[in-house]
Amino acid sequence: MKTLQGRSFTKETDLSAAEFHYLLKLAIDLKKQTKSGSELQRLVGKSVALIFEKTSTRTRAAFEVAMTQQGGSSTVFDSTSAQLGHKESIADTAKVLSRMYDAIMFRGALQETVEELAANSTVPVINGLTDQFHPTQMLADLLTMQESAKKPLADLKFCYLGDARNNMGNSFLITSAILGLTFTIGAPKSLWPDDALIAQANQIAEKTGAKLNLTQSPTDAVKDAEFVHTDVWVSMGEPKSVWKERIDKLLPYQVNKELMNSAAKDAKFMHCLPAFHDEKTEVGLAAAQLAGISGGLEVTDDVFQSNANIAFDQAENRLHTTKAILIATILGE
Ligand code: CP
Ligand code: NVA
């Protein structure tokens, strides 16, 4: 798609609905090619700079494997080894990397940083997660729902429970508005997306016909939902001290068997991952001890281990959708 060539993807509103659908279609084609061993290498000789101010498993894996499978290369810059922030401005970093790389991915705290990189770069800049948005994750989530439901996205009902004033909640709301989807947030009001973002989403929804709902009732949120999404209750960069308050607020929104039973028949569970579904991680254990609970925080281990969980398909789809974003923005194909 020529319109995507050279364009940055710093937030969902950078793309039109048609461009979202194009990227999904390209990702489906690329996934088929990868699986059948017939993948054409389109990014031979191309390089991508991957800047990680925050940690990552899936995003880094998706970008690095996508470039390798497409015949290109990638370089990871992390906060311990790069000059960005300490010794070199964001603008200068963008100008330097643009001279050597064909695209730049940024993961970090501030949305302003990724937008400043994009404003000063001559190559596409892709947001690999900020506190405000996680746009590349949206494409993987849309693809996973479409594949699982075997029907158009516009005919689906889905919801998101938990901390909704963070990247995942914000991104779902605005993406659903752009694509005209039926989407509900279930969260305490203090953790809803900020008023300006809700207003922007509602304004877009008026034109696209999206049906957006926000409720404080977890059971109302999951009612008729074919896909129940959640995310960690405390995100990267937040202090440990917020765990107690967050658990108290969000425990009623925990995705457990009972809540899944209130969703549509055969509803699927989704999570961008990593998830605290047991006490086998340092942070998961500490938080569970603090809460005096076991067997999972935002999702219980029985739901996570059940057939309803499609979070690993979702994780795999990060690869195929990332590849589509890279090919479309670098080559305009
Ligand atoms: N879902 C996601 O972005 O995972 P990582 O933090 O591991 O990249
Ligand atoms: N909300 C989470 C998403 C991780 C992919 C975080 O920002 O830590």
Side-chain angles (χ1 to χ4, degrees), residues 61-288:
F63 275 86
E64 293 220 56
V65 175
M67 287 308 288
T68 304
Q69 290 183 345
Q70 279 292 308
S73 67
S74 51
T75 311
V76 169
F77 296 88
D78 62 32
S79 39
T80 54
S81 62
Q83 314 279 28
L84 178 73
H86 333 279
K87 280 177 67 184
E88 193 156 30
S89 70
I90 295 155
D92 290 356
T93 304
K95 287 174 193 163
V96 170
L97 295 179
S98 297
R99 298 287 183 109
M100 299 188 210
Y101 290 91
D102 300 285
I104 300 167
M105 189 285 316
F106 172 82
R107 163 172 288 204
L110 300 178
Q111 181 64 23
E112 291 74 22
T113 308
V114 75
E115 294 190 13
E116 198 176 341
L117 278 172
N120 288 281
S121 167
T122 54
V123 298
V125 173
I126 298 156
N127 176 354
L129 178 145
T130 59
D131 290 345
Q132 211 176 344
F133 297 114
H134 198 358
T136 62
Q137 181 74 46
M138 288 302 107
L139 280 161
D141 293 13
L142 294 167
L143 176 59
T144 311
M145 290 193 284
Q146 195 173 291
E147 284 175 339
S148 169
K150 298 183 180 61
K151 60 181 176 183
L153 290 168
D155 298 342
L156 299 177
K157 288 199 172 99
F158 72 109
C159 69
Y160 172 83
L161 297 177
D163 178 14
R165 37 99 261 175
N166 211 290
N167 38 35
M168 288 301 293
N170 291 341
S171 281
F172 274 130
L173 187 69
I174 206 80
T175 302
S176 301
I178 296 167
L179 294 179
L181 308 184
T182 303
F183 171 66
T184 302
I185 281 177
K189 211 162 192 173
S190 59
L191 295 177
W192 285 8
D194 76 40
D195 290 344
L197 190 78
I198 296 176
Q200 187 189 11
N202 284 334
Q203 206 176 14
I204 299 172
E206 270 175 34
K207 292 188 212 110
T208 62
K211 294 185 189 74
L212 308 177
N213 282 301
L214 291 105
T215 172
Q216 300 205 71
S217 159
T219 42
D220 285 355
V222 298
K223 193 175 177 297
D224 300 326
E226 296 154 275
F227 297 92
V228 177
H229 293 252
T230 191
D231 184 18
V232 289
W233 288 344
V234 175
S235 282
M236 288 185 275
E238 292 196 272
K240 280 193 187 130
S241 55
V242 302
W243 266 110
K244 177 79 182 81
E245 184 208 338
R246 207 56 68 69
I247 292 168
D248 290 343
K249 277 190 181 169
L250 288 174
L251 207 48
Y253 302 85
Q254 179 188 61
V255 181
N256 50 36
K257 273 261 152 75
E258 201 188 329
L259 205 58
M260 286 302 286
N261 287 338
S262 305
K265 189 175 172 290
D266 299 325
K268 300 292 184 204
F269 168 74
M270 297 182 69
H271 193 308
C272 61
L273 300 178
F276 295 121
H277 58 91
D278 58 24
E279 286 76 57
K280 291 180 186 161
T281 62
E282 220 176 277
V283 179
L285 175 64

Side-chain angles (χ1 to χ4, degrees), residues 26-42 65-66 68-70 316-317 319-321 323-324 327:
L26 180 58
I28 293 167
D29 289 347
L30 288 164
K31 185 172 181 175
K32 274 192 206 131
Q33 287 176 24
T34 309
K35 300 268 180 203
S36 66
S38 62
E39 183 166 356
L40 266 180
Q41 292 196 322
R42 297 166 172 86
V65 175
T68 304
Q69 290 183 345
Q70 279 292 308
E316 180 192 325
N317 281 336
L319 169 64
H320 309 297
T321 48
K323 212 182 267 178
I327 290 173

Side-chain angles (χ1 to χ4, degrees), residues 55-60 107 134 137 236 272-274 318:
T55 54
S56 165
T57 296
R58 276 143 292 271
T59 305
R60 178 173 177 176
R107 163 172 288 204
H134 198 358
Q137 181 74 46
M236 288 185 275
C272 61
L273 300 178
R318 291 296 307 280

